[in-house]
Amino acid sequence: MARSNQTTTVTEFLFSGFPQFEDGSLLFFIPLFFIYIFIVIGNLVVFFAVRMDTRLHNPMYNFISIFSFLEIWYTTATIPKMLSNLISKQRTISMIGCLLQMYFFHSLGNSEGILLTTMAIDRYVAICNPLHYPIIMTSRLCAQLSAGSCIFGFLVLLPEIAWISTLPFCGPNQIHQIFCDFEPVLHLACTDTSMILVEDVIHAIAIIFSVLIIALSYIRIIIVILGIPSAEGRQKAFSTCAAHLGVFLMFYGSVSLMYLRFSATFPPILDTTIALMFAVLAPFFNPIIYSLRNKDIKIAIKKLLWPHKVFNASVS
């Protein structure tokens, strides 16, 4: 912190979510490092498998590939800093670094949330209105929805980050979390913190609105699927939605635990666990869910990793 006469201005924050190195942080560093490597490689494999297989050049798989691409940067916004803090005795981040981390982490998270909502609507149209699906979900609309999800996700947070950057921070600088997040940072501001409740309400409305759209879409989808006469048809329809539903539950389940609690406080260890759920574990399981639950993506991954083997098998 820098001092100017009697005023103390905070220029960096100190994380307190993880134990110090001498207390066994290496035990956290090693698994987190390998999880991060898996997230990056796993999502890159899904992304390139979809992009390089012409059979998967349709709206559903386009959304999956973009979601996988966003996941790489979503985790990169926080995990590398977590890793460096685990093996550092300082465990600090500059004010600008904290603002940038919040901006990119939540912008990418917003983009993913909008994209998941778009994917649910896409599945709703495909299953509930299959005859009109090719007319409605054109490649042009698909590109517009994908770009719109990312652009809106990044633009909507700019006013909030700009406002936080103007707040005075002159007291304690210890963030009780493993990365910079809105609530723990705003609690350190030397000003009226009543805006924290407004922030919570805005975030809650956005989360609940998205969850309602996705939930209603899947309820309608399930009703239509249950009405399919053949068991094979029902199984095929369910298989196309199972992966999306699994990712939706992982993503919004952990996000809801973190941001739909308002003034409720959790013990620090539970806070850290919930943060790890949506910042690390959800992105870790997403490539597993998509590769295990989707036959087309499994074949595309095999083609990407073992092109000659798959090619020979297909010829025979």
Side-chain angles (χ1 to χ4, degrees):
M1 293 187 290
R3 291 185 176 275
S4 175
N5 297 330
Q6 294 181 343
T7 304
T8 302
T9 303
V10 173
T11 57
E12 63 180 19
F13 295 109
L14 175 69
F15 292 107
S16 63
F18 275 131
Q20 295 184 14
F21 180 75
E22 56 266 27
D23 294 331
S25 291
L26 194 61
L27 295 175
F28 292 94
F29 178 88
I30 295 173
L32 183 60
F33 174 76
F34 284 108
I35 286 173
Y36 176 60
I37 295 300
F38 176 83
I39 290 171
V40 173
I41 294 175
N43 282 290
L44 275 176
V45 167
V46 172
F47 176 77
F48 282 110
V50 171
R51 291 295 167 181
M52 297 181 70
D53 192 331
T54 54
R55 298 180 306 111
L56 303 184
H57 290 179
N58 58 53
M60 181 179 77
Y61 292 111
N62 176 70
F63 293 139
I64 290 175
S65 69
I66 293 172
F67 187 84
S68 296
F69 184 75
L70 290 174
E71 284 282 65
I72 297 169
W73 300 108
Y74 175 75
T75 52
T76 300
T78 55
I79 296 182
K81 186 59 180 176
M82 290 184 208
L83 292 170
S84 69
N85 287 333
L86 282 169
I87 56 175
S88 171
K89 292 183 179 180
Q90 292 183 330
R91 296 175 294 143
T92 60
I93 188 170
S94 67
M95 172 69 75
I96 294 176
C98 187
L99 291 171
L100 287 174
Q101 187 179 71
M102 283 193 296
Y103 174 68
F104 284 106
F105 178 72
H106 285 286
S107 293
L108 288 159
N110 282 345
S111 299
E112 289 185 357
I114 299 168
L115 198 60
L116 282 173
T117 306
T118 304
M119 291 162 73
I121 296 172
D122 171 71
R123 290 299 85 203
Y124 170 81
V125 176
I127 292 175
C128 301
N129 200 357
L131 296 179
H132 293 90
Y133 178 75
I135 302 172
I136 297 172
M137 196 60 67
T138 61
S139 58
R140 181 179 179 180
L141 179 61
C142 177
Q144 290 172 340
L145 290 172
S146 301
S149 299
C150 298
I151 293 170
F152 182 79
F154 275 82
L155 288 180
V156 72
L157 268 178
L158 280 176
E160 192 169 1
I161 294 296
W163 169 68
I164 294 174
S165 69
T166 65
L167 297 178
F169 292 89
C170 52
N173 70 331
Q174 191 173 57
I175 296 176
H176 299 287
Q177 191 51 274
I178 54 178
F179 54 84
C180 287
D181 205 358
F182 291 124
E183 188 171 355
V185 170
L186 287 172
H187 274 299
L188 300 178
C190 303
T191 185
D192 180 20
T193 57
S194 60
M195 280 297 294
I196 295 176
L197 180 60
V198 177
E199 293 275 322
D200 288 343
V201 171
I202 293 172
H203 295 158
I205 291 173
I207 293 168
I208 292 171
F209 182 71
S210 298
V211 169
L212 282 175
I213 292 176
I214 296 173
L216 291 173
S217 297
Y218 277 110
I219 289 171
R220 177 58 180 162
I221 286 170
I222 291 171
I223 292 173
V224 171
I225 290 175
L226 292 175
I228 297 175
S230 68
E232 183 181 353
R234 286 195 299 271
Q235 184 178 1
K236 184 178 180 181
F238 269 122
S239 66
T240 61
C241 297
H244 301 293
L245 196 55
V247 172
F248 157 68
L249 292 173
M250 283 285 296
F251 182 85
Y252 276 106
S254 55
V255 166
S256 298
L257 283 173
M258 193 68 185
Y259 297 110
L260 293 185
R261 52 181 172 174
F262 297 101
S263 59
T265 56
F266 294 154
I269 185 65
L270 184 57
D271 247 348
T272 301
T273 302
I274 295 172
L276 285 172
M277 279 179 62
F278 78 87
V280 179
L281 292 183
F284 172 76
F285 283 110
N286 287 346
I288 298 175
I289 293 172
Y290 280 127
S291 60
L292 291 180
R293 294 295 306 174
N294 193 295
K295 183 179 177 182
D296 292 331
I297 290 184
K298 280 196 288 186
I299 294 172
I301 290 173
K302 289 178 182 178
K303 283 185 176 182
L304 179 67
L305 299 179
W306 302 285
H308 298 295
K309 183 177 179 180
V310 174
F311 177 79
N312 292 334
S314 64
V315 170
S316 61

